[in-house]
Amino acid sequence: MTKILVVGAGQMGAGIAQVAAQAGDAVLLNDRTQEYIDGGLLTIDKNLERAVEKGRMTNEERQAALARIQPQLTFENVDVDVAIEAATENLEIKLDLFAKLDRHTPQRAILASNTSSISITKLAAATKRPALVIGMHYFNPVPVMRLVEVIRGIATAQATFDAVRDLAIAHGKTPVEVRNFPGFVSNRVLCPMLNEAIFALYEGVGSVEAIDTVMRLGMNHPMGPLELSDFIGLDTLLSILEVLYDGFKDPKYRPCPLLREYVDAGWLGRKAGRGFYEYATPGGAIVARNGAGAAVGAR
Ligand code: CAA
């Protein structure tokens, strides 16, 4: 049993807390407000309820997993083995969190980040324990997706890597080791494809429906790239592309102006109720397409 602090109770943090609790770990779920924590707990409760309905776990197992997750509004002097930071994809926020985690967790604790693209070496430099800092990148929806990218910073110790690899396996995931380059492997490959789909919409090559159908039926992707962009969050996608663009100084990573405009409009995707699609509620089902800003003929 590992004692884990999960920082951030959004879709990623809640998912990580759920798989950890299901694996028998003791979880402290932290966020800035009780409301955010309650939101995360509600998502976990619904997911576990669905698992019981589908016969994948008993009601007793569900109750036991829920009881292993404790809300934690501050993380001063918490006794944990591992902290997994799953806050907003923003360098300043994460640097601040890592400095705080370094002050308030036991010296032996591993500090992991679920960042999608930010340098682990940079986050480690905000602490006095760079050998214990590592990237542990889960995928959305966490309970379903089998991958964890494990990212070594330049100073990450082998023992830290081994412990996190074993933790990912205990969470039912397949860990894959990658180096600390912008976007690692997953987002270096995925995000330029998503960005290209947005360019195709912007330039009027095809409608939202056409672009997504091509990739779903032609490439067997479970979601089209525009639906997946909405699912990830357009603000998160833009942040990742900025990291790639700044990190490589290569114009091939230039974020599409239409993506930037959607983010400026507050059309952040599924979580906001609007992105390349419109949703019945934030986080709800698709009800319509939104081709605003696409070249005439592609709307
Ligand atoms: N939480 C928990 N479980 C969920 C879920 C969620 N949010 N959404 C779906 N599921 C479960 C369902 O309960 C269902 O389980 P069973 O098979 O046991 O019944 C299963 O997933 C399939 O769900 P559905 O039948 O409702 O829908 P689907 O077949 O269309 O699958 C999906 C949904 C798994 C999300 C699928 O569309 C998919 O794989 N999409 C692509 C997801 C993807 O690419 N994720 C990576 C994003 S990139 C990222 O996360 C990293 C980053 O840094 C940006």
Side-chain angles (χ1 to χ4, degrees):
M1 190 266 290
T2 310
K3 287 185 270 180
I4 302 182
L5 168 69
V6 178
V7 180
Q11 54 187 7
M12 296 306 289
I16 295 167
Q18 179 186 327
V19 294
Q22 281 182 260
D25 293 335
V27 181
L28 297 176
L29 183 58
N30 164 264
D31 210 317
R32 279 171 299 158
T33 67
Q34 187 63 42
E35 207 183 337
Y36 287 136
I37 298 177
D38 290 345
L41 290 171
L42 192 67
T43 305
I44 296 169
D45 196 18
K46 277 193 194 151
N47 283 344
L48 294 179
E49 205 174 293
R50 201 165 51 204
V52 172
E53 277 163 19
K54 295 205 162 176
R56 284 198 301 263
M57 66 164 54
T58 63
N59 201 37
E60 290 68 42
E61 285 166 338
R62 167 181 164 238
Q63 296 295 353
L66 282 174
R68 282 194 283 271
I69 307 175
Q70 296 303 318
Q72 183 79 29
L73 260 176
T74 66
F75 51 76
E76 284 179 23
N77 304 317
V78 291
D79 178 27
V80 290
D81 306 307
V82 179
I84 305 177
E85 169 276 317
T88 308
E89 194 63 8
N90 173 291
L91 178 63
E92 297 311 317
I93 292 174
K94 288 190 192 283
L95 286 175
D96 185 50
L97 276 172
F98 269 74
K100 281 192 185 132
L101 286 168
D102 194 36
R103 286 199 299 276
H104 296 297
T105 59
Q107 277 182 6
R108 67 170 199 290
I110 289 175
L111 306 183
S113 177
N114 178 57
T115 179
S116 342
S117 59
I118 290 173
S119 165
I120 301 305
T121 301
K122 240 183 223 174
L123 298 179
T127 74
K128 294 192 179 71
R129 62 178 101 177
L132 288 168
V133 176
I134 194 162
M136 199 177 182
H137 184 205
Y138 291 79
F139 291 78
N140 189 19
V142 178
V144 179
M145 306 304 277
R146 288 172 297 161
L147 178 67
V148 172
E149 252 183 335
V150 183
I151 307 113
R152 290 177 191 264
I154 201 155
T156 307
Q158 184 63 38
T160 305
F161 176 83
D162 292 346
V164 160
R165 179 200 52 208
D166 292 349
L167 188 63
I169 293 170
H171 289 176
K173 307 298 177 194
T174 301
V176 173
E177 176 185 354
V178 304
R179 283 179 57 202
N180 185 47
F181 267 67
F184 317 130
V185 170
S186 56
N187 284 321
R188 182 170 175 174
V189 177
L190 175 69
C191 293
M193 187 275 282
L194 301 179
N195 196 38
E196 203 58 37
I198 301 169
F199 267 112
L201 178 69
Y202 186 51
E203 291 167 8
V205 183
S207 64
V208 170
E209 185 180 22
I211 293 165
D212 274 359
T213 305
V214 164
M215 298 305 283
R216 271 193 294 105
L217 303 190
M219 283 67 178
N220 242 358
H221 289 190
M223 285 177 171
L226 300 173
E227 185 184 355
L228 182 55
S229 298
D230 274 3
F231 185 67
I232 290 170
L234 301 187
D235 50 345
T236 302
L237 175 60
L238 180 59
S239 304
I240 298 170
L241 285 164
E242 301 276 26
V243 168
L244 289 168
Y245 188 54
D246 290 346
F248 291 113
K249 303 280 185 278
D250 185 331
K252 77 177 174 185
Y253 299 110
R254 174 175 77 105
C256 178
L258 187 61
L259 171 62
R260 206 179 286 286
E261 203 175 0
Y262 273 43
V263 172
D264 287 346
W267 299 347
L268 304 183
R270 188 166 177 235
K271 65 185 171 191
R274 188 167 195 184
F276 295 108
Y277 291 85
E278 286 172 26
Y279 300 82
T281 53
I286 289 177
V287 288
R289 288 178 291 276
N290 173 24
V296 175
R299 291 178 196 169

